[in-house]
């Protein structure tokens, strides 16, 4: 059973109207890897993550999680199987406290079956794990700054007890120091045994933490390999021409 | 952390004492030999608390119904038809609530994918269909002439009936406020709130949005049907007008003024409604003396005044009175 990879995509295609956002994508993710998903703006990275967490239905192709076909499931179902993550546009439940946001993850995630009070206790633990400030746990999420909101999002995703965590540009919008802290946190999460698939614009971050990198361009996979292999790949260099210079630094 | 939990605690205490005080006042009022009329409007006030609390449970999941009179009427008609045949009003009331819940589930199924205006339109349309259906099925429903509703229990005179009914309706109101509180604090309530705040995010967090939206519809329709049934046995008569748009709008007006998706909202809104309507009634002779012409349009003034209050509240306190009151009651530092 543990033979099959954690996540397996086969010939996945998704289009919006005439635009093919993701074309014929194949890849696998093994347990306890950190895999980076990179590519220029509009390459289809977020779309791919949203197909995996079932926000979007693919047009064709199949997705397997722990060997099970999930290509027809709904978001809440795959969440209960152990897939969760953060979205690019920072979202949460704005009129609820940080604790409540995370407690919802505990209550409805893979664990479930706890009382609301137990869930809140567990939520506080998870918030502490992501180093969220102790005195803001009862603050409404809409009153938090972006760095704090990101931590709540992360905690909410972790609270569902995932096996696979999907991260879409978690460092975007954060300052240098907060960004560094976020990277530390991602390492810590991996150490706790969670597999991570992350979209990230800044190549330096990818180089620093990813075991493997997948490169998308115009919806197609143009390269895959270790970070070193990928940055030296011709096709990758070409696709990034004209992109902002910090991408390949 | 310490200070926050302390503030929380005191606010909770104040709310607790206030509710306690309100209930004590409500309990002793009938012993002051008040008029039959006052008794009547107070019973209606409790009815509105129950009705708008039931409506609120649906709104709590982010679904705003513009046709809740439909469930009110279904509960009322079912208990009436049942009681006329069996003389078992308390069972009738329960069956009315159950049938209403079932219809609520069916309406919910057509509504779960709709949003805002479409949801409003479908629910409103449903209540209008119920009017047509009631008139059409006149052999059964009495049509526009309506039906006499049997009493809930025997009594020697109307005052005695009102006296006991006062406590029945008060119990219903308190029960519905408490059960709302219980639901909203539970896992189900957190799911409702999450769906209201961000449906997509709720899905991503493992919430079966469809299931919980249907649950909200069913629960809300059940309690609305229950309230409608008790209302019918109190008023003693029903016809198609129970499905009127006005009846659907009251819980919206009450909740928006009191505070949408709050526990206190229905209570504050209903008490306010009671005072405003009483105020208008007291003013009536005065209006008659200063402007006899105006008295013909005076009944319409009620709606006008509520419309004006609604506008003022929406502008000054977009979230209604309850959150403002909470802020006011929270001790500073
Ligand atoms: N819901 C949608 N409807 C229509 N088109 C969409 C939708 N979502 C994405 N697209 C289009 O699909 C393409 C891929 O978008 P996607 O968001 O996946 O790119 P991305 O790689 O995440 O880009 P970025 O780096 O800017 O986040 C883009 O051309 C985008 O305009
Ligand atoms: Mg993106």
């Amino acid at each position: 059973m543990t033979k099959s990879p954690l996540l397996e995509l086969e010939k996945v295609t998704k289009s919006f109207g005439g635009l093919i956002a993701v074309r014929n994508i194949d890849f696998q993710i093994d347990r306890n890897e950190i895999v980076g998903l990179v590519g220029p703006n509009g390459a289809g990275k977020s779309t791919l993550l949203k197909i995996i967490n079932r926000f979007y239905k693919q047009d064709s192709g199949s997705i397997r999680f722990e060997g099970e076909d999930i290509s027809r499931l709904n978001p809440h179902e795959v969440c209960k199987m152990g897939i969760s993550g953060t979205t690019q546009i920072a979202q949460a439940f704005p009129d609820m406290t940080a604790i409540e946001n995370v407690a919802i993850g505990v209550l409805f995630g893979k664990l479930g079956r706890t009382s609301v009070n137990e869930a809140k206790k567990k939520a506080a633990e998870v918030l502490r794990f992501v180093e969220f400030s102790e005195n803001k746990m009862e603050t409404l999420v809409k009153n938090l700054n972006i760095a704090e909101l990101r931590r709540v999002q992360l905690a909410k995703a972790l609270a569902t007890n995932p096996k696979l965590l999907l991260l879409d540009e978690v460092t975007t919008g954060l300052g240098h120091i907060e960004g560094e802290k976020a990277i530390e946190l991602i390492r810590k999460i991996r150490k706790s045994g969670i597999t991570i698939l992350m979209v990230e614009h800044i190549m330096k971050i990818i180089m620093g933490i990813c075991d493997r990198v997948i490169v998308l361009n115009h919806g197609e996979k143009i390269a895959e390999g270790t970070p070193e292999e990928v940055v030296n790949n011709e096709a990758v260099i070409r696709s990034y021409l004209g992109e902002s210079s910090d991408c390949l630094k | 952390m310490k200070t926050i939990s302390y503030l929380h605690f005191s606010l909770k205490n104040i709310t607790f004492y206030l509710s306690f005080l309100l209930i004590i006042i409500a309990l002793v009022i009938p012993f002051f030999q008040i008029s039959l009329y006052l008794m009547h409007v107070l019973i209606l006030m409790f009815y509105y608390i129950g009705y708008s609390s039931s409506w609120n449970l649906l709104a709590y999941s982010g679904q705003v119904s513009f046709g809740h009179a439909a469930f009110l009427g279904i509960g009322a008609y079912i208990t009436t038809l049942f009681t006329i045949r069996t003389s078992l009003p308390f069972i009738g009331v329960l069956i009315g609530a159950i049938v209403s819940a079932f219809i609520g589930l069916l309406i919910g199924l057509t509504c779960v994918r709709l949003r805002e205006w479409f949801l409003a339109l479908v629910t409103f349309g449903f209540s209008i269909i119920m009017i047509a259906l009631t008139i059409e099925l006149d052999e059964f429903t009495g049509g526009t002439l309506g039906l006499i509703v049997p009493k809930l229990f025997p009594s020697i005179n109307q005052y005695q009936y009102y006296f006991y009914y006062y406590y029945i309706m008060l119990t219903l109101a308190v029960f519905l406020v408490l059960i709302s509180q219980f639901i909203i604090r539970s896992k189900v309530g957190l799911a409702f709130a999450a769906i209201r705040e961000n449906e997509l995010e709720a899905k991503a967090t493992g919430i079966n949005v469809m299931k919980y939206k249907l649950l909200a519809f069913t629960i809300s329709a059940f309690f609305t049907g229950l309230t409608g049934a008790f209302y019918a046995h109190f008023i003693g008569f029903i016809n198609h007008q129970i499905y009127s748009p006005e009846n659907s709008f009251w819980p919206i007006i009450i909740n928006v003024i009191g505070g949408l998706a709050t526990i206190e909202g229905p209570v504050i809104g209903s008490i306010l409604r009671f005072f405003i309507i009483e105020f208008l009634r007291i003013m009536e002779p005065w209006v008659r003396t200063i402007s006899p012409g105006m008295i013909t349009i005076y009944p319409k003034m009620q709606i006008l005044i509520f419309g004006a209050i609604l506008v003022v509240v929406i502008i000054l306190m977009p979230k209604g009175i309850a959150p403002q009151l909470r802020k006011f009651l929270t001790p500073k530092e």
Side-chain angles (χ1 to χ4, degrees), chain A residues 41-42 44-47 50 88 168-169 199 201:
Chain A
N41 284 105
K45 308 178 295 290
S46 299
T47 304
K50 285 177 186 165
Q88 190 170 359
D168 202 345
E169 303 197 12
V199 170
H201 257 295

Side-chain angles (χ1 to χ4, degrees), chain B:
Chain B
M1 188 70 187
K2 271 262 155 57
T3 53
I4 284 171
S5 60
Y6 165 73
L7 290 182
H8 224 80
F9 186 66
S10 337
L11 176 60
K12 243 180 169 167
N13 263 356
I14 292 173
T15 331
F16 177 76
Y17 289 130
L18 265 178
S19 331
F20 194 67
L21 191 71
L22 275 179
I23 290 176
I24 296 289
I25 293 173
L27 281 173
V28 299
I29 283 177
F31 289 97
F32 286 94
Q33 295 295 315
I34 56 170
S35 70
L36 207 58
Y37 171 81
L38 196 55
M39 214 58 170
H40 183 98
V41 286
L42 283 171
I43 293 170
L44 285 186
M45 184 181 88
F46 298 142
Y47 149 78
Y48 277 111
I49 292 175
Y51 179 21
S52 26
S53 292
S54 311
W55 179 92
N56 199 15
L57 278 172
L58 182 62
Y60 205 79
S61 71
Q63 304 178 99
V64 172
S65 159
F66 276 67
H68 244 46
F71 303 118
L72 203 65
I74 288 168
Y77 267 103
I78 295 293
T79 189
T80 304
L81 294 170
F82 182 84
T83 310
I84 287 173
R85 285 160 181 78
T86 63
S87 306
L88 295 168
F90 281 98
I91 296 176
V93 163
L94 202 63
I95 293 178
I98 291 168
V99 173
S100 176
F102 180 70
I103 308 274
L105 179 66
L106 296 184
I107 298 297
L109 277 170
T110 63
C111 284
V112 281
R113 290 180 196 287
L114 305 176
R115 264 157 210 278
E116 280 121 34
W117 289 112
F118 291 103
L119 176 64
L121 260 158
V122 169
T123 48
F124 183 72
F126 173 57
S127 69
I128 301 300
I129 289 171
M130 288 309 295
I131 296 181
L133 214 60
T134 308
I135 295 174
E136 200 57 41
L137 299 172
D138 54 353
E139 263 175 65
F140 204 47
T141 63
T144 50
L145 291 176
L147 294 170
I148 301 287
V149 187
K151 283 189 171 181
L152 196 62
F153 50 86
S155 61
I156 48 167
N157 59 27
Q158 193 163 25
Y159 196 86
Q160 196 199 35
Y161 192 64
Y162 275 26
F163 186 86
Y164 289 123
Y165 224 108
Y166 178 98
Y167 289 104
I168 289 176
M169 220 47 134
L170 174 61
T171 309
L172 182 71
V174 172
F175 168 74
L176 287 178
V177 170
L178 288 180
I179 201 130
S180 302
Q181 169 92 334
F182 174 76
I183 291 172
I184 284 170
R185 292 254 176 99
S186 73
K187 180 176 170 175
V188 171
L190 277 174
F192 287 175
I195 293 167
R196 181 187 71 224
E197 299 235 329
N198 191 334
E199 196 171 320
L200 213 54
E201 189 85 356
K203 276 183 191 158
T205 318
I207 295 174
N208 187 343
V209 169
M210 177 100 152
K211 175 179 127 188
Y212 281 99
K213 278 185 157 185
L214 285 178
L215 189 63
F217 246 105
T218 312
I219 296 176
S220 175
F222 179 87
F223 289 126
T224 306
L226 188 73
T227 311
F230 276 111
Y231 172 78
H233 286 292
F234 169 61
I235 296 292
F237 167 81
I238 45 164
N239 67 3
H240 63 288
Q241 277 174 5
I242 192 157
Y243 297 112
S244 71
E246 199 185 321
N247 258 348
S248 289
F249 293 158
W250 273 120
I252 307 174
I253 296 170
I254 287 170
N255 275 293
V256 171
I257 292 177
L260 259 183
T262 63
I263 299 287
E264 318 88 289
V267 181
I268 296 171
S270 303
I271 294 178
L272 204 66
R273 178 190 179 278
F274 163 79
F275 279 111
I276 291 165
I277 287 185
E278 277 316 282
F279 173 75
L280 288 175
R281 190 180 68 92
I282 291 164
M283 296 303 281
E284 196 179 316
W286 182 72
V287 172
R288 200 185 290 275
T289 48
I290 62 156
S291 162
M294 215 166 117
I295 207 67
T296 50
I297 57 158
Y298 198 68
K300 296 243 182 291
M301 292 279 286
Q302 263 188 22
I303 288 292
L304 207 73
I305 292 200
F306 274 99
I309 292 174
L310 200 63
V311 170
V312 170
V313 166
I314 288 173
I315 290 169
L316 294 181
M317 311 179 258
K319 298 204 159 165
I321 296 172
Q324 222 65 30
L325 202 64
R326 260 188 232 180
K327 222 182 265 172
F328 178 74
L329 289 177
T330 309
K332 310 280 176 300
E333 285 311 293

Side-chain angles (χ1 to χ4, degrees), chain A residues 55 75-76 79-80 87 91-96 100 104-105 107-109 113 116 134-135 138 142 156 160, chain B residues 1 4 8 185-188 190-191 193-195 197-198 200-209 212 319:
Chain A
F55 271 22
H76 69 268
C79 176
K80 285 197 169 37
T87 44
Q91 284 180 328
F93 307 118
D95 262 315
M96 293 191 206
E100 282 171 336
I104 288 173
L107 283 169
F108 295 94
R113 304 248 163 252
V116 173
E134 195 79 31
N135 58 5
E138 301 282 349
K142 65 179 175 192
K156 187 157 81 58
T160 66
Chain B
M1 188 70 187
I4 284 171
H8 224 80
R185 292 254 176 99
S186 73
K187 180 176 170 175
V188 171
L190 277 174
I195 293 167
E197 299 235 329
N198 191 334
L200 213 54
E201 189 85 356
K203 276 183 191 158
T205 318
I207 295 174
N208 187 343
V209 169
Y212 281 99
K319 298 204 159 165

